[in-house]
Amino acid sequence: MATYIVMINYTDKGIQTIKESPGRLARSKDEARSFGCEVKAFYLTMGTYDIIEIVEAPDDQSIAKLTLAVASGGNVRTTTLRAFPETEFKAIVQGLP
């Protein structure tokens, strides 16, 4: 499974209904599983992003479906990064000409 870092910001709608956030998180974890993904870690953060999640997914299409489905609720906006662990990083660098 590939690792993704999902950086999330609340929309105006999401922050106005912040007390519903724990329930939305639980539903989004269930939704992740329905796409073959797993939320490995969740962090409420301070700074540029409100939330950071570490998600494992079988492929780019699965994480794209998940983030689009979650964002379609109108409570958050997402930015997603593909994360390569150290072993993959080393293999990538070793494959350079």
Side-chain angles (χ1 to χ4, degrees):
M1 296 255 274
T3 302
Y4 298 86
I5 299 168
V6 183
M7 300 171 294
I8 301 166
N9 280 317
Y10 288 111
T11 62
D12 288 341
K13 175 184 173 185
I15 203 68
Q16 289 169 1
T17 59
I18 192 66
K19 289 185 178 184
E20 297 171 15
S21 240
R24 289 193 298 256
L25 173 59
R27 288 188 298 280
S28 74
K29 287 182 175 184
D30 289 339
E31 195 161 30
R33 286 189 285 278
S34 77
F35 290 113
C37 305
E38 182 181 355
V39 177
K40 301 300 274 185
F42 170 93
Y43 301 96
L44 177 67
T45 56
M46 299 184 305
T48 303
Y49 296 97
D50 299 318
I51 297 167
I52 301 292
E53 289 184 342
I54 308 302
V55 180
E56 287 186 353
D59 51 47
D60 291 345
Q61 293 81 7
S62 298
I63 193 73
K65 288 177 186 176
L66 172 60
T67 56
L68 289 170
V70 169
S72 72
N75 296 297
V76 296
R77 287 189 182 85
T78 65
T79 301
T80 305
L81 303 173
R82 170 68 162 89
F84 296 91
E86 184 177 347
T87 54
E88 289 182 43
F89 160 73
K90 288 177 180 178
I92 290 167
V93 171
Q94 288 174 351
L96 292 174

